[in-house]
Amino acid sequence: MDSKREVIAIIDFGSQYGQLIARRVREYKVYSQIYQPDVKAAVLARLGVRGIILSGGPASVYAENAPMCDPALFDLGVPILGICYGMQIGCKILGADIRPAQSREYGRTALAIADHTDLFSGLPEQTTVWMSHGDQVNELTGDFTALAQTPTCPVAAVRHKAGRFYGVQFHPEVTHTPRGADMMKNFLYDICRCSGDWQMSDFVEETIERVRRRVGDAAVLCGLSGGVDSAVTAALLHKAVGDQLVCIFVDNGLLRKNEREGVVSTFRNHFHMDLHVVDRAESFLAKLAGVTDPQQKRKIIGAEFIEAFKAEASTIPNAEFLAQGTLYPDVIESGSKDGNLAANIKLHHNVGGLPAELGFTLVEPLRDLFKDEVRLVGEYLGLPEDLVWRHPFPGPGLAVRVLGEVNESRLAILREADDILIEEIRAAGLYRNVSQTLAVLLPIGTVGVMGDQRSYDHVIAIRSVDTTDFMTADFSRIPHDVLGRIANRIINEVRGVNRVVYDISSKPPATIEWE
């Protein structure tokens, strides 16, 4: 981390909104970093943090083994904002009484603001906030000032008399708190005195210099997948080390229509990178024959990819480093083995995905960035817009969108349907408005009538979601006429399909991908 950079430290007590807090801070061009509750005040002091945010969390402050922070944080002399559980922890450490609430609050509620200085500067006397708590501050000492209340929470926001601790019993970081962004801005700019000068251009230049110093004259390998993370990683590494970068693209036979050609055109023909294309489609499909279990598919594809990558890497001289497109959410979500309190949502293929016996030193230039920030880096580096803003695509490719057995005939059906779907979403001007759109081939047949004859053919399911963080998502409200065009084209143009359905489930309980 650049010691000159303004940093807001976020202490994460297991909040489902921990990453969202970090993103909100960065939206105001202030760099944020998430830390575990056991981080020592001395560590943050050495980093020169401008402020600290204590996140919410599912625990009660009085529960056995409830997570605590270093009390010395409150002696650092930097502003601290406690959110929900973070407010309760801060108030408890500073002497207030915390009790279970007589009336728990979950959801939107009205906040009455009594003090409009600093944290609530510029806000109206009444505003809506998003509550989610069981405990709350029961009694304040004379060292605190109550700033706001709700109908069932008499102390919904506080300021310590020293002016260095602020607590709110609601979530200012979520969109359900309409004026929450103003509160965050007030904390960052007016209370922490941040200048908001963190820019992607600074990040790119810092990263380039750091990679050059670390790599020296050695070769760096990068596995290209066609997705935005690996693409931006490759572009950033190429800018740093030029011809020392060697990209490996494994064609596993599970790609979207024309994906291989697009990767070659962009990276070999346009950026003039050293690109090795490994054709292993037959091997992948042979290993997947007869396999229907989703997890087994993933294991087979992962193992086969490693073998293909290892074989090609062995032909490249002086290769000492392996670049991966690990993102900050990947690091956080896969971090439970390091004591992370947040749920271990999934094992990411980018975090420890390639085995240690490959013998390479990892280079992860994007590991401090969120997805939207990676896209900004891609734009800055001049990657094509279609690639930078491409919707997420799973590591196992179409294998987890072909439900049931994977074979070439079923893949061909899905490829054509998927291509029509994306083409129509783009034509309707919706591609940048929705977060992810995909087609799924179901392992069933249904009766239809085509050309005055009875048919019994495949079903294509369409899935499109809107989300900010991919942890929760709602189905996209695609206009019915657009859905109609998509269904008509797929049924008319893709042989073997006689029915198209639209998935209107949210996440949770459903996931975005079907497998």
Side-chain angles (χ1 to χ4, degrees), residues 17 118 127 133 161 199 214 278 303 414 456 463 475 477:
Y17 301 126
D118 46 48
T127 188
H133 70 99
K161 71 173 185 180
Q199 300 181 37
R214 187 178 183 200
V278 182
L414 182 57
Y456 189 72
R463 177 84 157 131
F475 71 92
R477 270 60 173 181

Side-chain angles (χ1 to χ4, degrees), residues 98-112:
I98 312 297
R99 298 282 178 87
Q102 291 184 354
S103 177
R104 297 184 176 189
E105 285 185 298
Y106 296 97
R108 289 184 176 90
T109 191
L111 180 77

Side-chain angles (χ1 to χ4, degrees), residues 84 106 110 144 183 196 209 221 256 264-265 270 318 399 426 501:
C84 289
Y106 296 97
F144 287 94
M183 302 171 198
E209 285 305 313
L221 304 183
R256 286 180 169 183
V264 170
S265 174
H270 179 70
N318 196 32
R426 289 187 187 279
V501 297

Side-chain angles (χ1 to χ4, degrees), residues 395-459:
L398 296 179
V400 291
R401 294 181 181 175
V402 171
L403 274 57
E405 184 178 2
V406 179
N407 56 49
E408 187 50 56
S409 64
R410 302 189 77 215
L411 285 166
I413 290 172
L414 182 57
R415 272 196 200 96
E416 293 302 322
D418 174 82
D419 190 56
I420 291 170
L421 169 63
I422 299 303
E423 185 177 293
E424 288 296 329
I425 290 294
R426 289 187 187 279
L430 297 174
Y431 193 79
R432 290 278 292 271
N433 296 332
V434 299
S435 302
Q436 185 174 357
T437 302
L438 58 113
V440 179
L441 180 65
L442 304 189
I444 59 173
T446 64
V447 174
V449 178
M450 302 182 76
D452 294 327
Q453 294 185 2
R454 180 184 183 275
S455 67
Y456 189 72
D457 284 327
H458 294 91
V459 179

Side-chain angles (χ1 to χ4, degrees), residues 347-363:
L347 179 62
H348 291 267
H349 67 276
N350 276 337
V351 182
L354 289 171
E357 61 265 24
L358 286 180
F360 299 112
T361 301
L362 274 183
V363 177

Side-chain angles (χ1 to χ4, degrees), residues 282-301:
E282 288 188 11
S283 177
F284 274 84
L285 292 179
K287 294 284 178 65
L288 289 168
V291 177
T292 59
D293 180 73
Q295 288 303 96
Q296 189 63 21
K297 288 181 188 178
R298 290 177 181 273
K299 290 178 181 178
I300 290 170
I301 293 166

Side-chain angles (χ1 to χ4, degrees), residues 36-185:
Q36 294 300 295
D38 59 1
V39 65
K40 297 301 181 184
V43 172
L44 300 187
R46 286 195 297 271
L47 292 173
V49 297
R50 283 295 186 94
I52 298 170
I53 298 178
L54 308 179
S55 85
S60 165
V61 293
Y62 289 110
E64 188 177 356
N65 299 321
M68 284 289 293
C69 62
D70 184 354
L73 293 177
F74 295 85
D75 298 324
L76 289 178
V78 299
I80 299 176
L81 173 64
I83 297 174
C84 289
Y85 183 84
M87 171 181 171
Q88 296 157 21
I89 284 289
C91 288
K92 182 171 183 277
I93 289 174
L94 294 171
D97 182 39
I98 312 297
R99 298 282 178 87
Q102 291 184 354
S103 177
R104 297 184 176 189
E105 285 185 298
Y106 296 97
R108 289 184 176 90
T109 191
L111 180 77
I113 299 173
D115 187 324
H116 287 79
T117 55
D118 46 48
L119 189 62
F120 295 127
S121 176
L123 271 70
E125 292 185 0
Q126 292 272 348
T127 188
T128 300
V129 296
W130 182 263
M131 285 282 198
S132 179
H133 70 99
D135 293 344
Q136 65 184 33
V137 175
N138 179 59
E139 185 177 342
L140 292 173
T141 67
D143 293 335
F144 287 94
T145 299
L147 305 180
Q149 66 179 28
T150 72
T152 60
C153 183
V155 185
V158 298
R159 182 201 305 114
H160 192 258
K161 71 173 185 180
R164 287 294 171 180
F165 176 73
Y166 298 79
V168 293
Q169 193 56 73
F170 53 87
H171 289 278
E173 71 274 20
V174 302
T175 55
H176 302 303
T177 301
R179 301 301 295 269
D182 296 318
M183 302 171 198
M184 296 288 286
K185 183 179 180 181

